[in-house]
Amino acid sequence: MWIQPKELLLPSAFWIAEMHSRYFVLQKRRGHGESRGFGSMLVGTYDSVMNTKPAPYRILHQTPSSEVSYEIAIGITQDEIVKDWEWLKANLFKVLDEMENEDEVTNFTICKIQSLYTQNNQDDTGESADFKVMKSKFRQIFKMPEEERLVNSYSATYVKNKIPRQGQLYISLNHVCFYSYMLGQEIKRIIRFAELEDISRNANTIYLKTTNNMTYNFTMLFNASEAHLLIEQLNKMAIQQLIHDPDSPVVDHDTSNFSRLGSKTSKKPVLLRDLTARQKSEEFRIYFRLPQSEIIDGKIKANIWTPYSKRFNSGFIYLSPNFFCFRSDVKDLVSVVIPMKTIKSVEKKDDGQQRFENQIVIITSENVPFMFAHIVDRDVLIFKITDLLARVHVPLSRERAKYDISWSKQTALMNTFKTQFSAKIIQKQEEKMVRWEAHFRDFGRGIGMFRTTDVINLIVEGIPDKLRQEIWLIFSGAIHDKEMNPGLYEDLVEKAACIKNCFAHDEIDRDLPRSLPEHPAFQSTDGIGALRRVLQAYALRNPQVGYCQAMNIVSSVFLLFCDEENAFWMLASLCENLLPDYYKDKVVGAQIDQGVLNELVETHLPDLHGHLEQLGVIKMISISWFLTIFMSVISYESSLHILDCFFYEGAKIIFMISLQIIEWNRDKLLYCQDDGEAMLVLQNYLEGIYNPEYQVPPTTDKRKMKRKVRTQTVQTLIHESYTKFGEEITQQRIEELRNKHRRLTMRQFDIDNEKTIVKAYVQNPYFSHIELHMLLTIIREEKHALKSLQQQQQKVQCPLSETPQLVSQSPSRPIQDAGTFGGRYEAYNVSYEVFHTLFTELTPWRKCVSVDIGEKLFRLTDKKGTGVLDFGQLINALGLVCSNKNMEKLKLLYVLHLPPLLSKAEIERSRRPRPRTKDDAEEAFEAEDFFDNDASESMEALPSPSDNNFDADDFALINATQHLHNLAGISGNTFMDLSRTPNLSLNSNTSSLAHRSSTFYVDLPGFQDLGAARITPPGAGVGADVAAGAASAAAVDDMLLNVETISNFSQISDLVAATRLERADSNATDLRSLGSLGYLLDQPDEGASNSQHRIPHMRKENFQLLWRSIIEIMGLVQDEEMHRAYENLLELGNSNIKKEPSLESFTQLNMGGDEQPDSNGNPTTPAAEPIGTTRLFVALEEELRQASGKSRTTTTSSGDSSSTNISESWHISISQFIATVLTVNSIVKGFQTPIQISEQIEQLQKKRRKCLSTNY
């Protein structure tokens, strides 16, 4: 790429000339692409220690008589730099040769290169050439996909085993990575932000701790603070992404949302600037209570004129697309929020004595002037404001759909259900009203009022009932959301009313009677109806939250003082801005703040913290206190006062009140011996808090007539809270603690889930308690890595892998939420990709390369063909392979090499020499490797082993059908595609799924016309069965057997249905299907005597691959004893040869009645001759052959069919195999050697940390 010409005074010995001309030279960095010699080690070490980040290729311009060179182009790859060299050769070489003056040559070259650089960077991202080189190295070193965007890199020292390693710390959106190269030794470390458990900084050292207890220390001489804040921010984004969408864990950042309107003069990377703007925007929104869509555009130093004090106060002006804000330098001295849509004019003020103070005057639509002075750059500010005003969009109410429901908005319920206060209370209310009116005259009213400490004092004293709606809407920020979404509430209410059978609505209706039941407003239909509409509308607006308990309590209080729509927007502001994630599944936000309170107690009440921690009190109190903002534990009239402060201060007031209550009860709590006693102490105290300035008449309920002992006034509680904790607990401190405990809370969720699952499976025969925990950890990590890769690849619309889809997921399958009780088990279900990775990395059978044992074992273990294994199935599969149970392991290996798990296609492929090309690995994942053209060998064409509706004749039917279409020149997949039903369709396969009991499951694509036959109730009468069989036989006999008659696939399907119905309803002894190969996994400790007769014999081709797999598992070593065993098994197979029907594996299984097999495991009762199916397709085949002029070659008797050809049948039984193999000491010893899975998991985690990741 072309760069700005850079002057170089001295030649460097670190570069090697690759090409050169009279005025140019192409150089390569020494050591790049070469073997690691001493020189390359020195260069690599120098680059690592000195933090140089040169591109591996560059082009220099130099003249023969000058010692000064100019770097004009750099390249990441050789092709890229050669392309630039070719351009120079084609466009400049001849031109420069004609020039006589070297200065003219240099000036012309520099001007030309600058022009190229400008032209090529017009539409660029704004990234510098050095950053592009850094980004390329990051992706190359750590094998990161293009979608993983680098934020920045820092020179850092990583201390490992007290040995410092100088290198580069790379920070991307989802990872923090470190790379060092010193004297030939590379160190790579890669850490996901989502797995960080602790982040801290001491001076210039950043300390990181992961969930698997790995610690990392990075020391930086420069920018340590910036790197630490960036890691904190990205970790917060990663955890929030997990909370909001666990299935999409990759953090993304839309740079367009944070692009500033002004020019970008910073030299920092673009993404780093955007993330900084994102962080500042979040702080900006929190402080001024603005909508989530507001992005800060910039700030500028200025002074504001405050008419109430007749003076200027210094601070900063903040601009965003919809708001003009000011904040003083002195905390809480003054702040102003002015919506852009209310600004009528912006003018310079250059008259009078202040004409040199760069003043401007902003006049709002209410003719309120705001004067600003000492503006650093007044013209820029005016231009910015003018530009933003031109972009302001004022939302208007639009026409919306009409719904057939009748309703009207409810006004504030306190106006309808008036409370009869005493004269003293009424007088207090009037006095407060007078003070507020005086405040409005001096400081303004509405959104644009001057917000000072005076308003804080008024709120602490209490807000009059008449002003609560106005003050709550302004200071909560709900007024902005309402004005930006006119008509939305009405639309949501009417849409929600049309929704039927909604779980959230049922929950809402259940909780309505429990919403402030002592107030008469919620004993009437008006109050209950308004509350129902508000809650249902919000459940529709925010489906991720829906409805959560405690929302009804706070909403009922909002409805008392606000009209219905305002109450809705108050609830939205509470759930989305003021208490984020509180009302989600598992009340995550409240549990995070529970950890924050615990740490605040430890900081401010250290003598009490240990005792409360031991009792577990804080975990019990915080949820009930926080979710309802004390409304459920303190009297209604007192909690109103706390709610007033909450809308101004936010969550800060909750922590202050909690600490004050705990401190006041310090002595009593220290004497408590258990949690129940401590909770009773706090409960009695909270019930005694009262509000002397706002008392409702006593209730008539006799159960509530008994008054609790008064403990403290709410005014004193709030005043003492501000006095003791107001300065020490800040919003910044709360956010820092929330970031910390957000990590710890999510980690605790995982720990709790793991404990529950381990407790359920602790009795398993394979793994210990610790190994189960480690297995769960690695499953979680691998699933997270796979989801991240899937999400990134979906963004570029690329398939995840060329691996065939094992089972298609049914859209009708209900997805259980991870937060439910069952979901904690489902969170550790593993897909094929994750299972294959675990099998390959953890088990000794990974050495087997001729046959994909992992894929076979997954299919064998997947009981119901769901495409995932639960944790119990995973334990059985991996546990057996890693155990010392040599007998069961040999049986399992034998089964994994039987058809249909090992198909003819794989056997044929294994016989071909493996091509040594880079495409070899890709061919292993092509679909034809698993699905052959022969339908009889297709994994999807084979039946469920426990499906009694499928027999050998059905198998032959599919085979003959496929053969028929091949002869007719029809594509082999056409019939299957047209007649196949989805693998997991709950409508068609319900019966078969319900009857599957074996762990060996291979799904059978059903035929759409067979649905009724397959789900025929087993209780139907015998007469009905006989009638159905006779009808189907008649239907077969009546069909004309020629190609013209069977003119479409639907008639073939009808024929198949008729034949299948006849065969399914018969009691013939040829109903033989693969019964229970998964028996080995379900009951691994039982003897072989009960199961070996169920396992089919093995053909020679399968046996040869089985023996090859044994040799590979043994380390490609075959001793003389193994060779003799192999020869003995070949002889046994030869001795089993006799003239008999080649029935394949399925016809040897599940014989009806009391039938017993012969010595070779074959049925003694001859199979019933197929009455319709085979004759039909034999006749059709013969007719097609005659039509094409081919004669049919008959090598057997005329009565033989394609499924019963007489052939030489080499086979061995499982008894013969095991008996022979157990005589080989090396195999017995190898299969008896257990594998410590904990060591394998540690090695896998180490590989991940070193960036030796598995490509899914």
Side-chain angles (χ1 to χ4, degrees), residues 738-752:
R738 277 178 171 174
N739 289 342
K740 174 183 177 180
H741 289 278
R742 189 178 287 110
R743 296 188 291 267
L744 298 177
T745 300
M746 296 303 294
R747 173 59 180 153
Q748 191 60 45
F749 286 162
D750 292 334
I751 292 174
D752 293 341

Side-chain angles (χ1 to χ4, degrees), residues 905-928:
E906 291 177 282
I907 296 174
E908 292 298 327
R909 186 175 58 256
S910 66
R911 292 176 174 176
R912 299 194 299 265
R914 296 177 62 85
R916 299 296 181 182
T917 65
K918 67 178 183 179
D919 297 331
D920 183 40
E922 297 179 1
E923 292 180 1
F925 293 106
E926 292 180 357
E928 64 212 27

Side-chain angles (χ1 to χ4, degrees), residues 788-1003:
S788 299
L789 183 61
Q790 288 174 332
Q791 185 179 349
Q792 288 172 333
Q793 292 186 343
Q794 286 172 358
K795 291 176 184 176
V796 294
Q797 297 181 348
C798 289
L800 171 65
S801 170
E802 296 182 9
T803 306
Q805 184 69 31
L806 291 177
V807 179
S808 59
Q809 294 294 336
S810 171
S812 61
R813 182 181 296 275
I815 301 175
Q816 194 166 15
D817 191 272
T820 61
F821 178 78
R824 72 175 48 179
Y825 292 91
E826 292 186 353
Y828 291 93
N829 288 353
V830 297
S831 63
Y832 167 72
E833 292 85 356
V834 175
F835 174 83
H836 200 275
T837 298
L838 296 178
F839 178 86
T840 304
E841 299 288 349
L842 305 182
T843 68
W845 288 6
R846 59 177 172 267
K847 302 175 185 177
C848 186
V849 295
S850 299
V851 177
D852 190 351
I853 298 295
E855 180 260 339
K856 314 299 179 194
L857 184 58
F858 182 88
R859 291 184 184 275
L860 182 68
T861 313
D862 187 10
K863 289 186 177 182
K864 296 185 178 180
T866 59
V868 295
L869 303 183
D870 61 38
F871 189 61
Q873 292 172 324
L874 182 72
I875 291 174
N876 286 338
L878 297 185
L880 179 57
V881 175
C882 296
S883 69
N884 61 351
K885 303 177 184 296
N886 60 339
M887 177 79 74
E888 284 75 11
K889 290 165 71 173
L890 288 170
K891 293 179 199 173
L892 177 61
L893 194 62
Y894 178 94
V895 168
L896 295 176
H897 287 75
L898 287 173
L901 286 176
L902 185 61
S903 64
K904 287 182 179 178
E906 291 177 282
I907 296 174
E908 292 298 327
R909 186 175 58 256
S910 66
R911 292 176 174 176
R912 299 194 299 265
R914 296 177 62 85
R916 299 296 181 182
T917 65
K918 67 178 183 179
D919 297 331
D920 183 40
E922 297 179 1
E923 292 180 1
F925 293 106
E926 292 180 357
E928 64 212 27
D929 289 348
F930 292 95
F931 306 116
D932 191 73
N933 287 333
D934 185 0
S936 66
E937 290 295 334
S938 171
M939 290 298 294
E940 288 194 354
L942 294 176
S944 164
S946 57
D947 188 352
N948 293 328
N949 290 330
F950 190 95
D951 56 18
D953 206 20
D954 292 316
F955 187 79
L957 172 62
I958 296 177
N959 189 11
T961 306
Q962 185 67 35
H963 199 185
L964 172 65
H965 283 79
N966 289 339
L967 290 173
I970 303 173
S971 171
N973 293 328
T974 305
F975 174 74
M976 299 301 294
D977 292 338
L978 291 176
S979 59
R980 179 177 297 171
T981 57
N983 289 347
L984 284 181
S985 172
L986 295 180
N987 295 328
S988 61
N989 286 344
T990 303
S991 178
S992 60
L993 285 175
H995 288 85
R996 286 170 186 153
S997 59
S998 170
T999 57
F1000 180 12
Y1001 168 65
V1002 182
D1003 197 22

Side-chain angles (χ1 to χ4, degrees), residues 2 5 17-27 58-64 69-73 81 84-97 99 105-113 116:
W2 304 110
E18 294 279 310
M19 301 179 185
H20 58 82
S21 67
R22 182 178 179 184
Y23 296 113
F24 299 97
V25 58
L26 188 155
Q27 295 179 336
R58 71 180 184 181
I59 297 177
L60 301 183
H61 164 68
Q62 59 186 9
T63 55
S69 302
Y70 294 90
E71 187 178 31
I72 61 174
I81 202 68
D84 292 339
W85 179 267
E86 293 295 334
W87 187 94
L88 291 174
K89 185 176 180 180
N91 296 277
L92 288 187
F93 281 10
K94 292 183 180 180
V95 176
L96 297 181
D97 287 339
M99 296 183 181
V105 169
T106 299
N107 292 334
F108 179 82
T109 301
I110 290 177
C111 290
K112 190 64 177 178
I113 298 303
L116 289 172

Side-chain angles (χ1 to χ4, degrees), residues 8 11-20 24-37 39-40 43-44 47 54-60 71 73-79 81-82 85 137 140:
L8 303 176
S12 175
F14 293 164
W15 295 89
I16 305 172
E18 294 279 310
M19 301 179 185
H20 58 82
F24 299 97
V25 58
L26 188 155
Q27 295 179 336
K28 181 181 73 172
R29 187 72 170 176
R30 188 179 295 275
H32 180 77
E34 301 174 359
S35 60
R36 292 295 188 181
S40 64
V43 174
D47 289 339
Y57 297 94
R58 71 180 184 181
I59 297 177
L60 301 183
E71 187 178 31
I74 60 175
I76 308 300
T77 63
Q78 186 175 12
D79 293 339
I81 202 68
V82 168
W85 179 267
K137 286 188 174 182
Q140 181 180 1

Side-chain angles (χ1 to χ4, degrees), residues 1123-1189:
H1123 184 71
R1124 283 200 307 268
Y1126 175 71
E1127 296 293 338
N1128 291 338
L1129 286 171
L1130 288 178
E1131 289 298 326
L1132 285 174
N1134 291 331
S1135 66
N1136 291 333
I1137 294 177
K1138 68 175 186 177
K1139 298 291 182 178
E1140 62 176 1
S1142 179
L1143 298 177
E1144 307 280 329
S1145 59
F1146 285 101
T1147 58
Q1148 300 170 0
L1149 306 174
N1150 291 352
M1151 291 161 283
D1154 298 328
E1155 179 184 357
Q1156 297 296 326
D1158 61 12
S1159 60
N1160 292 323
N1162 296 315
T1164 56
T1165 304
E1169 182 180 2
I1171 54 178
T1173 305
T1174 305
R1175 291 201 301 270
L1176 167 65
F1177 285 99
V1178 168
L1180 283 170
E1181 182 178 337
E1182 181 65 24
E1183 188 171 347
L1184 284 173
R1185 287 185 182 277
Q1186 293 177 359
S1188 60

Side-chain angles (χ1 to χ4, degrees), residues 1097-1142:
H1097 298 164
M1098 181 174 286
R1099 296 176 299 191
K1100 188 173 184 179
E1101 298 84 355
N1102 297 70
F1103 166 71
Q1104 290 172 336
L1105 271 182
L1106 170 61
W1107 197 260
R1108 186 188 303 179
S1109 297
I1110 293 177
I1111 294 175
E1112 291 171 348
I1113 292 173
M1114 298 300 296
L1116 297 176
V1117 176
Q1118 181 175 211
D1119 56 21
E1120 186 175 346
E1121 196 175 12
M1122 290 177 62
H1123 184 71
R1124 283 200 307 268
Y1126 175 71
E1127 296 293 338
N1128 291 338
L1129 286 171
L1130 288 178
E1131 289 298 326
L1132 285 174
N1134 291 331
S1135 66
N1136 291 333
I1137 294 177
K1138 68 175 186 177
K1139 298 291 182 178
E1140 62 176 1
S1142 179

